[in-house]
Amino acid sequence: PALLHFSDFTEMMRALGYPRLISMENFHTPNFMLVAEVLLWLVKRYEPQSDISGDVETEQDRVFFIKAVAQFMATKAHIKLNTKKLYQADGYAVKELLKVTSVLYGAMNTQGGERAELPEEDSSKFKFDLGSKIADLKAARQLASEITSKGAVLYDLLGKEVELREVRTESIARPLEINEAEKVMKIAINSVLEQVQKTKDMLNNVALDEANLEAKIEKRKSELERSQKRLQTLQSVRPAFMDEYEKIEEQLREQYSTYLEKFRNLTYMEQLLDDHRRTEQEMFE
């Protein structure tokens, strides 16, 4: 049975257009590089835009690669793979690979694809994008739900048809009075004309408001320019009495320094006087 499985696997891979020949000797001993290459090739067959990395240099990279492929097949193709057997990379891994290749092989036969007779260049053109099929399935489900909701609304409307039919028949059977119809039409025409006139008035008002706003904007711009020019002039002109002001300010700093010095001396002298009076009071007592 193992030889039969391997024969099916090699035949399906050849029919799917795998560029290399696979023999039984390749899996007598664990061959993880070949298993990883086949898995990555099958993933690209399912979804050419997949972003699974083929880096399998270290043990951790290999574990991540096997998990990523198994998760991809489970979510995209609903195929459950045994990650332990895939990691063994021997004959047991071939049975897991056969699960994927059989689905691809069956899809190719369903679409009428040729098998071994195709040249390698033509067989490499075969693409099977399961993601697009899943998108079509979601669209079909959404369309089915919309049809159901529209059908429910249509059923409710048809339920009111019995009542509406009587009103419609009565309206149709009622004799048409030309004068009354003409009066109603005139009223409707006058109403429409009033609406048109109101719309024209609003458009005219909008144009007038736009012109007023543009005039105000221009006025504000001119005022701003004048203010900026005046500011520049004031900044460039030295105020009057500025020299005298700076001289007095320098004198004020000198007077303040003198004041601080005298204030410190006065404070010190008052403290000495208090100490002297306290000493005299103690001697007197």
Side-chain angles (χ1 to χ4, degrees):
L3 292 175
L4 181 60
H5 286 310
F6 187 81
S7 176
D8 294 340
F9 174 69
T10 56
E11 177 66 20
M12 290 180 184
M13 290 296 291
R14 185 176 64 85
L16 291 173
Y18 186 67
R20 293 175 51 183
L21 295 176
I22 303 175
S23 62
M24 186 65 183
E25 286 75 12
N26 296 127
F27 294 96
H28 279 168
T29 58
N31 192 348
F32 189 86
M33 300 304 295
L34 179 58
V35 172
E37 181 182 346
V38 172
L39 283 173
L40 190 60
W41 187 83
L42 292 173
V43 168
K44 294 296 183 181
R45 282 294 186 182
Y46 269 103
E47 187 172 342
Q49 305 300 327
S50 63
D51 56 351
I52 295 179
S53 175
D55 187 10
V56 291
E57 294 296 329
T58 63
E59 180 181 352
Q60 188 175 6
D61 292 337
R62 296 181 180 185
V63 173
F64 286 159
F65 174 76
I66 293 297
K67 287 183 177 180
V69 172
Q71 185 177 3
F72 174 84
M73 290 300 174
T75 55
K76 297 292 184 179
H78 302 287
I79 299 174
K80 185 177 181 181
L81 298 177
N82 191 321
T83 55
K84 293 183 179 180
K85 292 182 179 180
L86 285 176
Y87 191 81
Q88 290 177 6
D90 52 11
Y92 291 101
V94 175
K95 295 182 180 180
E96 301 301 317
L97 295 174
L98 189 60
K99 296 178 182 179
V100 184
T101 55
S102 60
V103 174
L104 281 172
Y105 185 76
M108 186 183 69
N109 289 335
T110 303
Q111 295 180 357
E114 297 181 0
R115 297 175 59 185
E117 292 79 5
L118 288 174
E120 183 177 350
E121 292 81 4
D122 295 336
S123 62
S124 64
K125 296 178 182 178
F126 171 73
K127 300 294 181 182
F128 181 77
D129 190 358
L130 190 61
S132 62
K133 302 298 180 184
I134 294 178
D136 294 341
L137 179 60
K138 291 181 179 179
R141 288 178 177 175
Q142 184 178 1
L143 184 60
S145 62
E146 291 180 359
I147 291 174
T148 303
S149 60
K150 294 295 178 61
V153 175
L154 181 61
Y155 178 79
D156 294 337
L157 295 176
L158 290 176
K160 301 177 181 179
E161 174 61 20
V162 178
E163 178 181 348
L164 296 176
R165 187 188 300 117
E166 296 178 359
V167 179
R168 185 172 60 251
T169 304
E170 182 180 355
S171 299
I172 294 174
R174 184 183 304 167
L176 183 61
E177 297 180 2
I178 301 300
N179 296 330
E180 188 66 24
E182 184 179 1
K183 181 179 179 181
V184 173
M185 289 298 296
K186 287 182 178 180
I187 294 174
I189 291 172
N190 292 331
S191 177
V192 172
L193 292 175
E194 289 179 359
Q195 293 294 332
V196 171
Q197 187 61 36
K198 288 182 180 179
T199 304
K200 289 181 178 180
D201 294 339
M202 290 175 65
L203 291 175
N204 294 331
N205 292 333
V206 168
L208 183 61
D209 293 340
E210 184 178 359
N212 293 333
L213 287 175
E214 289 180 354
K216 289 181 179 179
I217 291 172
E218 292 297 330
K219 183 179 179 181
R220 296 297 183 185
K221 284 183 178 179
S222 61
E223 292 178 357
L224 177 61
E225 291 177 357
R226 288 196 299 269
S227 299
Q228 288 178 347
K229 290 179 180 179
R230 184 178 179 185
L231 176 62
Q232 293 176 359
T233 304
L234 292 175
Q235 289 177 347
S236 60
V237 175
R238 185 176 178 83
F241 307 108
M242 193 65 188
D243 297 335
E244 184 179 359
Y245 171 79
E246 292 176 353
K247 184 178 180 181
I248 295 175
E249 188 177 13
E250 181 65 26
Q251 293 176 0
L252 178 61
R253 283 196 293 267
E254 294 177 358
Q255 292 293 334
Y256 183 72
S257 176
T258 305
Y259 164 76
L260 288 178
E261 183 179 359
K262 291 184 177 181
F263 182 79
R264 286 196 298 270
N265 294 334
L266 178 61
T267 305
Y268 177 70
M269 296 300 292
E270 288 179 350
Q271 184 178 359
L272 290 178
L273 180 61
D274 292 338
D275 293 339
H276 181 69
R277 288 176 179 176
R278 189 179 306 106
T279 304
E280 287 184 350
Q281 182 67 26
E282 289 176 357
M283 292 176 62
F284 178 75
E285 292 178 355

